[in-house]
Amino acid sequence: MSELQKIISDQQIYFQSGTTKGLTFRKEQLKKLKSQISRFEEQFCSSVYEDFKKPHFETFETEIGLLYSEIDFTLRNLEQWTSKRTVETNLANLPARSYIQAEPFGVSLIIGAWNYPFLLTLHPLISAIAAGNTAIVKPSEVAIKSSEAVSDLIQSTFPKEYVFCAQGDHSVAQELLAQRFDKIFFTGGPAVGKIVYKAAAEHLTPVTLELGGKSPAFILPDANWKTTPKKLVWGKFINAGQTCVAPDYLLVHERDAPKLLEGLKMQIEKIHGPNPAESEAFSRIVNDRHFERVSKLIDKSKVYCGGQIDAEKRYIAPTVLYPATWEDACMQEEIFGPVLPVMPYSDFDSAIDEVKKRPKPLALYVFSKGRKARKKIMDQLSFGAAIQNDTLVHFANVHLPLGGVGDSGIGNYHGKYGFDAFSHYKSVMLRPSWPEPNIKYPPYTNWKQRLLRKLI
Ligand code: NAD
């Protein structure tokens, strides 16, 4: 038995003991986790800075702060989520009492992506704990310092038989996936998502797959031309574009393209200065492989602004490409870097049809002061989440489920949806043991059939 197998087996025994199911226990663990995150704030910020020069402010804004609010929201609501929910009983089954009760799945596996290394491992962990599971957390090896920080936090907070952090590359993930888990929660790209889904199928393990893809932003003629570039530049270039819900490309009427381009360029200069390589607020690409991949997506003949790269520092300037077409290299895969193609359209309906033909996006953004065109886009297209007049901020609303559809994912989490992702809902019916009328038992007579029809 390998070390990992032994830990999984110990977690199964621990789960069977019933300890993790107690409401007080779950609340205590969440409080403990919150206070440990606050102790680790400095280590989190410096490790992610070492990994890809992410500014401390952004680590708090996009990771640590969200973890605090998720824990607080969960603590406020956990008692209600774990309570039995009484439901009606149908006439034919009366007298009886029916209710639904959430129960934890058992031993869960959480595999995280590297781009928000704390958020994407600890956020699902909050839900796993809240729902009463044990967990093995596998952070991505790509952000190595951050992975170590997650491991240090988990090790110093929980015993292995309850929560364990398995560090390592895809071989560790594959060793884990070969074992039987009661729930698998995966965040990453669609290619690895398929590997995880296949492995889960071997054991009929339920999965949540938080995947990625190309999230479009429509900039409509009635957009607010002052605030729109500001919000787009923020959402696209935060974390150097390495954000699953970043606007991947923009669709704008050809008539409005010049003013949009001008606005984007001005905004980039305003927040990162004339040379973003010197900006303390602009991150680097996480490793050489991704640097090579993203650099290749820049078609030099289409660079409107930016385009500078520095392989040694893994720096790619905030880059706007124009005019992008569906055939361009940057439109064939999720960009996941600071490159923003702007695609002009002449016909609004055809632009919607083009998006409709492609895999369903994780996020969709519409910039418009009005309702009609926004409604048309949102009604006709399928997506994980959409925002009018902003980018990314839905992520912070604990009342909205976060997840994709089709190629962008299966299932969702955040707030109550995260609790549900790690819970099975048991249906229970309580009937009295009194003598029972003979209607449902043979012989099947005409009068029984008539009565049955009435009851149903
Ligand atoms: P990835 O799919 O390469 O890796 C994710 C995890 O899977 C890592 O822990 C990695 O070690 C593991 N892994 C890699 N290869 C594996 C294999 N062959 N078998 C088993 N496990 C393997 O993704 P990434 O590069 O870390 O992250 C980028 C992707 O994640 C993007 O597509 C992005 O859109 C997506 N993402 C989605 C969300 C979301 O909430 N939906 C959030 C962040 C990132």
Side-chain angles (χ1 to χ4, degrees), residues 111-116 120 138-142 168-171 173-174 177 186-193 195-196 209-213 243-245 289-290 334 336 362 395 402-404 408 413:
I111 301 180
W114 57 266
N115 55 328
Y116 290 87
L120 301 176
K138 152 74 182 81
S140 170
E141 70 284 10
V142 172
D169 62 11
H170 64 278
S171 62
Q174 280 172 349
L177 287 170
F186 171 80
T187 306
V192 182
I195 296 174
V196 172
L209 302 178
E210 294 284 335
L211 310 178
T243 302
C244 56
V245 285
R289 182 169 67 82
H290 279 287
E334 179 183 3
F336 219 57
L362 186 58
F395 208 99
L402 185 97
S408 57
Y413 72 132

Side-chain angles (χ1 to χ4, degrees), residues 249-267:
Y249 62 98
L250 311 185
L251 288 155
V252 63
H253 193 281
E254 55 194 9
R255 218 178 24 234
D256 297 323
K259 74 180 155 194
L260 175 65
L261 290 164
E262 186 60 20
L264 293 171
K265 189 170 174 217
M266 275 171 55
Q267 183 59 23

Side-chain angles (χ1 to χ4, degrees), residues 19-34 71 74-80 82 126 129-132 158 162:
T19 311
T20 65
K21 294 186 186 174
L23 181 60
T24 313
F25 176 85
R26 301 187 207 188
K27 284 184 173 172
E28 274 166 9
Q29 305 314 307
L30 290 172
K31 284 180 195 156
K32 205 157 55 163
L33 180 60
K34 186 177 172 192
I71 293 177
T74 303
L75 284 170
R76 276 201 305 278
N77 291 285
L78 195 55
E79 195 159 348
Q80 193 202 336
T82 52
I126 294 166
I129 290 173
F158 303 112
Y162 179 41

Side-chain angles (χ1 to χ4, degrees), residues 1 9 81 93 105 119 141 170 201 219 242 264 276 295 330 374 381 385 406 436:
M1 193 187 261
S9 160
W81 297 344
N93 274 319
F105 280 117
L119 188 71
E141 70 284 10
H170 64 278
I219 323 302
Q242 301 165 116
L264 293 171
S295 304
C330 63
R374 182 265 296 159
L381 295 173
E436 158 90 345

Side-chain angles (χ1 to χ4, degrees), residues 1-51:
M1 193 187 261
S2 73
E3 201 204 330
L4 278 177
Q5 284 171 327
K6 166 88 174 71
I7 291 166
I8 295 167
S9 160
D10 289 347
Q11 289 209 355
Q12 282 159 349
I13 294 165
Y14 191 64
F15 177 74
Q16 291 305 338
S17 76
T19 311
T20 65
K21 294 186 186 174
L23 181 60
T24 313
F25 176 85
R26 301 187 207 188
K27 284 184 173 172
E28 274 166 9
Q29 305 314 307
L30 290 172
K31 284 180 195 156
K32 205 157 55 163
L33 180 60
K34 186 177 172 192
S35 87
Q36 282 291 84
I37 293 171
S38 104
R39 275 193 52 217
F40 272 76
E41 269 193 24
E42 194 46 48
Q43 189 183 341
F44 279 180
C45 290
S46 46
S47 56
V48 81
Y49 187 83
E50 273 190 70
D51 281 332

Side-chain angles (χ1 to χ4, degrees), residues 268-384:
I268 293 169
E269 273 183 25
K270 191 170 168 194
I271 59 172
H272 293 305
N275 180 11
E278 289 167 5
S279 167
E280 270 307 310
F282 188 64
S283 303
R284 296 296 178 260
I285 304 301
V286 72
N287 62 16
D288 293 342
R289 182 169 67 82
H290 279 287
F291 175 83
E292 286 295 319
R293 185 186 62 75
V294 180
S295 304
K296 280 194 191 132
L297 300 179
I298 301 176
D299 175 347
K300 290 199 180 75
S301 69
K302 294 194 177 183
V303 172
Y304 175 79
C305 66
Q308 301 82 1
I309 59 170
D310 180 342
E312 207 175 301
K313 297 188 172 134
R314 297 197 309 273
Y315 166 75
I316 298 180
T319 298
V320 177
L321 300 178
Y322 183 80
T325 67
W326 294 109
E327 289 71 39
D328 290 352
C330 63
M331 292 306 296
Q332 311 312 313
E333 61 183 88
E334 179 183 3
I335 294 171
F336 219 57
V339 176
L340 182 59
V342 178
M343 199 181 305
Y345 66 79
S346 53
D347 179 58
F348 177 57
D349 290 322
S350 321
I352 298 181
D353 286 344
E354 285 299 329
V355 177
K356 211 184 282 174
K357 281 186 210 158
R358 292 171 164 76
K360 296 175 180 179
L362 186 58
L364 175 117
Y365 304 110
V366 182
F367 287 82
S368 160
K369 284 188 231 153
R371 177 175 177 276
K372 206 170 148 208
R374 182 265 296 159
K375 196 169 172 318
K376 189 168 190 177
I377 295 170
M378 292 193 186
D379 285 352
Q380 289 199 17
L381 295 173
S382 179
F383 46 77

